[in-house]
Amino acid sequence: MEEALGPPSVMAEKAEELTPMLSQYLELCERYDDALVLFQVGDFYETFCEAAEVTARILEITLTQREDSTGTYPMAGIPIDSAESYIETLLDAGFRVAVADQVQEPEETTGLVDRAVTRVVTPGTLTETELLADADNNFVACLTDGYGLALLDVSTGEFYATRLDRPEAVEAELERFDPAEAVVGPEAPTDPFDDGCMVTPYERSAFEPETARETVEAYFGSTSLASEAEVRACGALLAYAEYARGTTTDGDGERLDYITHLTRYDPREYMLLDAVALRSLEVFEPRHVHGLEGAALVETLDETACALGGRRLRSWLRRPLLDAGRIDARLDAVEALLERVGDRERARKLLADVYDLERLVSRVSRGRADARDLRALESTLSVVPDLRGCVADAAADSDLLADIHEALDDCPEVRELIDRAVVESPPIEITDGGVIREGYDDRLDELRATEREGKAWIDDLEARERERTGVDSLKVGHNSVHGYYIEVTNPNLDAVPDDYERRQTLKNAERFYTPELKEREDEILGATERADELEYELFRGLRTETAAATERIQATAAAVARLDALCSLATVAARYDYCRPTVGAVGEASDASRPSSPPDASGGIDVEGGRHPVVERTEEAFVPNPTELSADRPMAVVTGPNMSGKSTYMRQVALLCVMAQLGSFVPAERAELPVVDRVFTRVGASDDIAGGRSTFMVEMTELAAILENAGPDSLVVLDEVGRGTSTTDGYAIAQAATEYLHDEVGAYTLFATHHHELTDVAADLPRARNLHFSADRTADGVAFDHDLREGPATASYGVEVADMAGVPPRVVERADALLDEGADADDGLARPTTPTASTASTDGGELPEKLRAELRAVDLADTTPLEALNLLARLKERAE
């Protein structure tokens, strides 16, 4: 975040000498000293002094100067009509922006026009459609000491609160909600927030317990918040949201009336997916591999038709359920929609016409909605009765759909009011007239009739005056400066009647008016002005009346969102042949008293024909695989060559659990799954260069978090633990971690490894098993069948994979020869014997055990040709 600019120093030094306008600017800068103030002057937002220099540089606009009796000041401005794009650039540069509008019309005063900050724009308090990047939630968080956490989406009114017990839990929740901004109280930690989150210290008084409680109770009455830390976080966050709103031109105060519900939740009610798991499983963001971007899980599941449903589906993915009853309720709903194809497809067509009700009603409540917003609201509410019809039959088979059916309120009086009051295609501006329908208000109709009659009289005036004067070229016209006029060219001026009074002289003509024309003009302009003012007044009243139904509209929006998300899951299930999973209750594993559970313990992961939901979309012939991790044998060590499918398979199992617990069908022939409380992953390797941590350090930090936090109801996915250090150390760590997970943790565990000695360890552990992906060596290289089989792999085929990956033949041949020379070592692997063109070998003698071990640890698939040559040179030098 950029440093706050504060008040302009030059102006502050000579404050008493400033002109009234610059004094007004300085006062606003002092009041909003943590923001860059955009100060309306006519049709532009201006900045001055240091702020102007910064604005000009960041926005790449011209830096000019303003000169008055007190001196010369740098000045830079942006057009109001295109301000949002410039504001977005300032936000991206790390600034908060305070927008100071003229809140008084110039003709209302003979002196300085009043200005006030009408909104403070920050990354977490965006409400403007142009600034919100997409339909996803945009949260601002608030954290207090004592780990009280509140989260608010100012654009929709969604408001959550919880209290956490340790820093790691705070980090996990912030990773789950990914706030754009964080408001922090005194003594609150700032470490949990990532670099993409603007951290905003806020005034201490807002965090005072009594003040915060009064703020919360002003919105929600008596509060059920469980702790003082939660109350302080919620109260301070509401105060900050009000501060960001500024002073509205409607004069209806700062209260955010559309924030009508506060949801207190316990993170332990949801599956925890930390940042590592979200990233490695590609839940929201796909990874970039060799410059290519794949797809994320959310894209695979998202067939929603409207913004409401897309946001709800992401929310479900962010927080998969732990309650088996709630999971089954969603699965019942998906199944009911899956079976009723016609109703589902009709619903999806209707949902495609639904606007973002949550953001619409928040704009209505804030006094920011225009006439088109109200028509969009009416249009969406008019779809609701048909949506109810689409789910009426399915509601009989699903309690959740029955609840949705009941909650779909089309607010008929609101619909009727808007439809009766607002024209079908209103203009954007609500102050220029043309918004209110004829017949809605008698006073307005009379004014419009006067306006129309006057204009009709003027339309006929040209013909009458041509006939009266005999001048066929005579014209009647209008402009904004001189009003209505009669124009006569110079050669015809002799025919001008005596009652014509000169209004304007042109080069080739004169313009006149008559007393009667002036009277009609005054009538028309007076009627137009009064009608426009009355229309604006009527529209504001209409908007206020609509806002009174905020809670009802929000309830309908929530029902529409759930229906769209469920329709999306049903559509994906039908299109890609997913099955309904059977999902057990959380605690099955711990109730079975793992790790010392008896041989006949029930529960576990039992999948037939499982598929990776994302990868199967990109491969022509995806090979399904089974998974069996029972409560009495929850661990599997997975071996096999690179590219055989180990990583895809392990991610697949994790994604099936995530999908099942959000309430989705899964890509499998059959699936019985437990409820897992957390999914831990240690997949792939990456340096933390900024943090000064090596690949191995990152790997060990993630492993430590898994071993410390995993429990018997968790799913642990480990891929190549220990490969970032020496072979001996790496294997020791892998074995120790395997034994600890088996003996102490008892979590469902998939452990992929190239340490083939680990398969011997797994064979000796009573609750573990060996699985492998096999491959066949052919004349063209290696053929992978991607079939998961019992037992350990018999070969790694590392050299063959290196050959296929394009490692230079000389390197491949030398590596092949080195392996042949050490083939008599007992490393637990059989050396493939089928000859190929790249298997020529020479008698290099016996390699020392240390060199053989180091060679076995090399992952050639992840080794560049240059690295392979350097490695080979080192090995050769040491062997000599």
Side-chain angles (χ1 to χ4, degrees):
M1 178 190 152
E2 290 283 343
E3 285 290 322
L5 291 173
S9 57
V10 175
M11 288 186 181
E13 291 171 2
K14 52 173 69 174
E16 295 181 358
E17 304 174 16
L18 295 177
T19 63
M21 189 187 78
L22 290 183
S23 293
Q24 191 180 62
Y25 174 74
L26 177 61
E27 179 185 344
L28 291 173
C29 288
E30 290 173 339
R31 189 182 308 169
Y32 295 88
D33 59 358
D34 63 344
L36 190 154
V37 175
L38 296 182
F39 187 79
Q40 184 183 1
V41 181
D43 294 331
F44 280 77
Y45 285 129
E46 300 288 356
T47 55
F48 302 95
C49 299
E50 298 99 316
E53 294 171 354
V54 171
T55 302
R57 173 173 53 82
I58 292 175
L59 300 182
E60 298 181 356
I61 57 177
T62 302
L63 182 66
T64 60
Q65 290 185 332
R66 176 183 178 86
E67 186 174 354
D68 60 29
S69 59
T70 62
T72 301
Y73 306 98
M75 180 174 73
I78 58 175
I80 290 177
D81 289 344
S82 56
E84 302 305 330
S85 62
Y86 290 108
I87 291 174
E88 183 175 13
T89 302
L90 291 171
L91 291 177
D92 289 343
F95 287 96
R96 300 176 186 84
V97 179
V99 180
D101 287 308
Q102 294 177 182
V103 293
Q104 185 181 30
E105 294 297 331
E107 57 268 19
E108 295 177 4
T109 179
T110 57
L112 182 67
V113 175
D114 285 342
R115 294 176 177 86
V117 170
T118 57
R119 55 184 172 136
V120 179
V121 188
T122 70
T125 60
L126 300 178
T127 57
E128 296 79 4
T129 303
E130 302 90 338
L131 297 179
L132 290 163
D134 51 39
D136 199 8
N137 284 110
N138 187 65
F139 286 108
V140 54
C142 183
L143 181 65
T144 67
D145 56 318
Y147 303 130
L149 179 66
L151 298 124
L152 172 65
D153 184 337
V154 180
S155 71
T156 66
E158 294 173 71
F159 197 14
Y160 302 98
T162 190
R163 184 180 181 278
L164 303 152
D165 56 1
R166 61 191 191 282
E168 296 80 9
V170 175
E171 291 181 14
E173 284 310 288
L174 294 173
E175 289 159 357
R176 195 197 294 264
F177 284 91
D178 191 24
E181 183 179 3
V183 179
V184 294
E187 290 80 49
T190 58
D191 296 345
F193 302 102
D194 62 38
D195 293 338
C197 180
M198 175 183 279
V199 177
T200 303
Y202 194 51
E203 57 190 51
R204 180 181 291 269
S205 60
F207 290 89
E208 293 295 331
E210 194 58 38
T211 302
R213 184 171 295 277
E214 288 176 2
T215 303
V216 172
E217 290 181 350
Y219 275 82
F220 309 111
S222 59
T223 175
S224 61
L225 295 173
S227 70
E228 183 180 279
E230 291 173 343
V231 173
R232 293 170 60 220
C234 290
L237 188 52
L238 287 168
Y240 181 71
E242 291 177 349
Y243 156 81
R245 184 181 183 187
T247 304
T248 66
T249 55
D250 279 356
D252 57 354
E254 297 178 335
R255 181 181 167 87
L256 302 163
D257 290 324
Y258 63 99
I259 302 177
T260 59
H261 294 92
L262 171 56
T263 302
R264 187 190 183 279
Y265 75 98
D266 186 338
R268 293 170 297 183
E269 296 172 353
Y270 302 96
M271 176 195 287
L272 180 57
L273 295 164
D274 62 17
V276 176
L278 290 172
R279 184 171 58 250
S280 61
L281 296 178
E282 302 173 84
V283 175
F284 293 111
E285 296 291 336
R287 292 183 305 156
H288 296 264
V289 180
H290 302 305
L292 301 176
E293 184 174 312
L297 177 64
V298 66
E299 299 168 34
T300 304
L301 297 179
D302 191 354
E303 291 289 342
T304 56
C306 67
L308 292 167
R311 201 155 52 238
R312 183 56 57 97
L313 183 63
R314 284 178 170 268
S315 176
W316 288 354
L317 258 177
R318 218 177 268 123
R319 301 189 295 167
L321 300 170
L322 292 185
D323 184 284
R326 294 178 66 191
I327 295 169
D328 269 341
R330 284 189 192 166
L331 292 172
D332 285 344
V334 173
E335 185 170 18
L337 292 168
L338 180 67
E339 292 173 348
R340 293 169 173 82
V341 181
D343 287 343
R344 185 180 78 244
E345 289 305 313
R346 282 194 296 276
R348 295 185 73 235
K349 288 181 180 178
L350 291 167
L351 288 164
D353 293 328
V354 166
Y355 289 88
D356 195 334
L357 275 180
E358 290 175 330
R359 288 180 175 169
L360 276 176
V361 77
S362 77
R363 288 202 293 276
V364 171
S365 180
R366 296 194 317 273
R368 301 280 185 186
D370 58 29
R372 294 186 180 185
D373 287 331
L374 291 193
R375 287 304 315 190
L377 177 60
E378 187 279 332
S379 171
T380 296
L381 291 175
S382 69
V383 169
V384 171
D386 290 334
L387 280 177
R388 293 184 86 242
C390 290
V391 298
D393 291 340
D397 296 329
S398 162
D399 291 341
L400 181 53
L401 289 176
D403 291 343
I404 290 172
H405 182 268
E406 181 68 23
L408 284 170
D409 176 6
D410 63 321
C411 304
E413 65 279 14
V414 175
R415 287 174 52 198
E416 188 276 333
L417 175 64
I418 296 173
D419 192 46
R420 182 164 53 88
V422 181
V423 298
E424 287 190 8
S425 300
I428 296 176
E429 295 296 329
I430 59 176
T431 56
D432 295 344
V435 170
I436 302 298
R437 279 187 188 273
E438 187 174 352
Y440 178 71
D441 184 87
D442 291 341
R443 297 168 298 165
L444 180 62
D445 289 348
E446 290 176 8
L447 290 170
R448 292 300 186 208
T450 300
E451 180 184 5
R452 284 194 302 272
E453 289 168 4
K455 288 181 176 178
W457 183 89
I458 288 176
D459 288 343
D460 295 336
L461 179 63
E462 186 174 287
R464 294 197 305 271
E465 291 303 303
R466 282 183 178 183
E467 183 177 352
R468 180 160 79 105
T469 62
V471 179
D472 292 338
S473 61
L474 179 149
K475 295 190 301 183
V476 174
H478 177 270
N479 64 43
S480 59
V481 176
H482 296 97
Y484 288 100
Y485 57 82
I486 300 170
E487 183 175 295
V488 180
T489 56
N490 289 343
N492 296 297
L493 291 179
D494 291 342
V496 169
D498 293 339
D499 60 343
Y500 276 30
E501 298 183 34
R502 184 171 281 102
R503 170 157 273 180
Q504 183 183 13
T505 300
L506 303 178
K507 180 178 179 180
N508 299 314
E510 295 282 347
R511 289 176 174 174
F512 304 89
Y513 68 93
T514 66
E516 190 175 13
L517 175 59
K518 184 69 171 65
E519 181 181 348
R520 290 286 186 170
E521 179 182 61
D522 291 343
E523 273 184 17
I524 293 169
L525 294 179
T528 300
E529 182 178 349
R530 292 196 302 276
D532 289 349
E533 291 174 353
L534 179 57
E535 272 209 39
Y536 182 56
E537 180 183 332
L538 290 169
F539 180 80
R540 289 179 58 193
L542 174 66
R543 189 167 59 192
T544 300
E545 195 170 346
T546 302
T550 291
E551 288 195 60
R552 289 176 61 192
I553 296 170
Q554 287 175 330
T556 295
V560 170
R562 286 186 292 167
L563 177 59
D564 192 19
L566 292 167
C567 283
S568 176
L569 295 177
T571 298
V572 172
R575 189 174 296 167
Y576 298 102
D577 194 25
Y578 289 4
C579 76
R580 174 172 179 161
T582 300
V583 184
V586 70
E588 279 185 342
S590 53
D591 291 344
S593 303
R594 279 209 317 259
S596 57
S597 56
D600 60 347
S602 59
I605 300 174
D606 186 3
V607 177
E608 290 182 8
R611 313 185 306 274
H612 192 293
V614 179
V615 177
E616 73 165 344
R617 305 273 187 97
T618 62
E619 293 191 1
E620 294 183 5
F622 186 89
V623 179
N625 275 297
T627 302
E628 186 178 350
L629 296 177
S630 62
D632 60 314
R633 295 186 75 188
M635 174 178 282
V637 172
V638 185
T639 51
N642 287 308
M643 299 174 57
S644 61
K646 299 189 301 299
S647 296
T648 296
Y649 167 71
M650 294 194 302
R651 289 185 176 96
Q652 166 187 308
V653 174
L655 290 177
L656 293 184
C657 291
V658 171
M659 290 172 64
Q661 288 180 224
L662 76 89
S664 172
F665 281 31
V666 299
E669 295 175 13
R670 181 184 61 82
E672 294 180 15
L673 300 167
V675 176
V676 298
D677 59 0
R678 295 188 65 163
V679 175
F680 294 93
T681 62
R682 161 86 284 280
V683 179
S686 60
D687 290 330
D688 177 11
I689 296 174
R693 300 190 303 166
S694 67
T695 297
F696 182 65
M697 187 61 182
V698 171
E699 180 183 347
M700 290 300 100
T701 301
E702 293 176 0
L703 178 61
I706 293 171
L707 298 179
E708 180 180 353
N709 296 300
D713 290 310
S714 304
L715 172 63
V716 176
V717 174
L718 300 173
D719 193 1
E720 298 300 332
V721 167
R723 71 177 176 181
T725 186
S726 70
T727 303
T728 304
D729 288 352
Y731 172 67
I733 292 169
Q735 179 174 344
T738 301
E739 292 171 347
Y740 185 85
L741 286 165
H742 178 275
D743 297 338
E744 304 295 332
V745 178
Y748 298 106
T749 303
L750 291 169
F751 196 140
T753 184
H754 281 292
H755 293 293
H756 286 271
E757 299 89 340
L758 202 59
T759 61
D760 295 333
V761 175
D764 291 337
L765 295 174
R767 287 174 299 280
R769 67 198 305 179
N770 280 304
L771 301 173
H772 75 279
F773 284 91
S774 62
D776 294 319
R777 196 161 188 260
T778 68
D780 296 324
V782 180
F784 302 105
D785 57 22
H786 301 295
D787 274 330
L788 183 67
R789 300 176 185 177
E790 288 285 344
T794 58
S796 285
Y797 297 99
V799 175
E800 287 75 15
V801 171
D803 193 13
M804 295 168 61
V807 173
R810 180 179 172 186
V811 177
V812 173
E813 290 169 6
R814 179 58 177 157
D816 206 29
L818 290 171
L819 281 179
D820 282 340
E821 292 168 7
D824 59 341
D826 183 16
D827 60 4
L829 290 178
R831 176 76 177 121
T833 57
T834 306
T836 69
S838 63
T839 59
S841 64
T842 61
D843 184 6
E846 182 69 23
L847 274 178
E849 171 60 30
K850 189 173 182 180
L851 288 183
R852 291 203 306 274
E854 188 169 349
L855 183 60
R856 286 198 302 270
V858 175
D859 186 354
L860 287 179
D862 289 337
T863 303
T864 67
L866 180 59
E867 290 170 340
L869 284 171
N870 289 334
L871 171 65
L872 189 56
R874 291 197 305 272
L875 291 175
K876 183 177 179 182
E877 181 180 350
R878 289 165 58 185
E880 293 174 347

